[in-house]
Amino acid sequence: MAYRYATERTDHSALASGQVLRSAPGFPGFPVRLASELLQRALAHTTDQGESPVRLWDPCGGSGYLATVLGLLHRDRLAHVRVSDIDEDAVALAARNLELLTADGLAAREEELRRSARDFGRVEFVERAEAARDLAAGLASQGGDLPHEVRTADVFTLTDPVDADVVVTDIPYGEMTSWGGSAPEEDRVGAMLRSLGGVLPRHAVVVITAKTRRIALPEGVRALERVKVGTRAGALVRARDVAP
Ligand SMILES: C[S@@+](CC[C@H](N)C(=O)[O-])C[C@H]1O[C@@H](n2cnc3c(N)ncnc32)[C@H](O)[C@@H]1O
């Protein structure tokens, strides 16, 4: 795949998992440049091509890494970020990461890293504290605190309407994470898409990605676009095309 939007090889080291953003064993990160490209491709399919800020949702959000990275990189194009996951430990970690979408959250993280630098006398902590400070400056310059919400939810059994315009989600592929909830193994993507289609506005754009050769969409569902980068594949679909 040729990058269409994230065309420059920008230094994203401040966003690396476990630097300022928190990680834990069993929670995968996500390539930052690809995350940016996928969001921007989705924005190009929104009603006004992403002119107005959109509400983003990651319903298999894990640690919240992907959603937080997108919030920090594209704050000016987003109005709200929502993360849900079936796993309560993931949701707790995601809540701490999404706090980094605020000036207070980043200031607290910078202070924590400066304290570690003093306590352990290690230069890496100073660099990480400086990265937190730089992320705070970036957030402020793009519009400031980004409203966000985190909750526990099974993506197969969603019932309440969700006000989101764009979904970007990295689904389990059995490396570090696996599926929970109940859906036929051979139709998990279909079950997830029907569930999402039942709660999202019809105009919403859903981006699914995974470490796989190709995202298998249910019969009759046409992708708006497909992407393939290295070991990852992605598919963009319109919510109304997957609504039950
Ligand atoms: C590849 S990980 C997501 C990584 C995430 N994008 C991040 O940045 O940390 C997949 C996530 O899907 C979650 N998951 C598995 N089954 C689920 C279900 N039925 N509903 C919601 N989340 C589910 C797992 O708990 C895991 O956190």
Side-chain angles (χ1 to χ4, degrees):
M1 173 197 85
Y3 281 85
R4 205 182 288 152
Y5 299 99
T7 49
E8 286 173 25
R9 285 183 181 276
T10 315
D11 174 14
H12 290 307
S13 50
L15 293 169
S17 182
Q19 291 294 302
V20 178
L21 277 73
R22 299 168 192 278
S23 69
F27 291 100
F30 193 86
V32 173
R33 186 180 180 203
L34 177 58
S36 174
E37 176 74 17
L38 291 175
L39 175 68
Q40 292 182 80
R41 285 192 182 213
L43 290 174
H45 290 282
T46 58
T47 318
D48 61 1
Q49 286 80 48
E51 282 291 305
S52 338
V54 303
R55 300 158 298 182
L56 173 70
W57 179 24
D58 183 348
C60 291
S63 67
Y65 177 76
L66 174 59
T68 307
V69 160
L70 289 175
L72 289 168
L73 268 183
H74 294 291
R75 195 285 163 243
D76 52 346
R77 308 197 68 186
L78 300 175
H80 184 266
V81 173
R82 177 188 314 266
V83 165
S84 51
D85 198 284
I86 197 168
D87 175 11
E88 287 183 6
D89 290 342
V91 169
L93 185 54
R96 299 182 78 204
N97 272 328
L98 287 180
E99 269 308 297
L100 302 175
L101 296 175
T102 66
D104 284 354
L106 282 165
R109 184 66 169 140
E110 181 186 345
E111 181 46 36
E112 182 189 340
L113 291 163
R114 289 205 188 280
R115 213 172 327 127
S116 298
R118 284 194 296 275
D119 292 350
F120 303 113
R122 298 243 306 267
V123 71
E124 306 93 87
F125 285 112
V126 177
E127 289 164 3
R128 289 167 61 187
E130 280 164 9
R133 186 202 53 202
D134 293 348
L135 291 177
L139 189 69
S141 72
Q142 289 187 76
D145 291 3
L146 183 51
H148 54 270
E149 188 181 319
V150 186
R151 62 175 54 181
T152 308
D154 178 351
V155 75
F156 298 129
T157 58
L158 301 164
T159 48
D160 299 335
V162 175
D163 287 333
D165 310 292
V166 171
V167 167
V168 179
T169 197
D170 179 31
I171 59 175
Y173 30 79
E175 223 171 60
M176 279 199 209
T177 58
S178 49
W179 282 109
S182 174
E185 193 179 335
E186 67 290 353
D187 187 35
R188 284 192 182 117
V189 170
M192 179 181 89
L193 285 173
R194 283 190 293 280
S195 180
L196 290 172
V199 299
L200 283 167
R202 291 171 64 75
H203 69 262
V205 179
V206 179
V207 183
I208 303 174
T209 174
K211 271 195 186 162
T212 183
R213 214 165 44 81
R214 186 178 164 86
I215 304 283
L217 294 177
E219 220 178 296
V221 174
R222 277 193 53 190
L224 295 168
E225 282 188 55
R226 284 184 175 277
V227 295
K228 181 85 184 87
V229 181
T231 55
R232 284 182 183 275
L236 282 70
V237 299
R238 181 80 63 194
R240 67 169 164 268
D241 293 340
V242 291

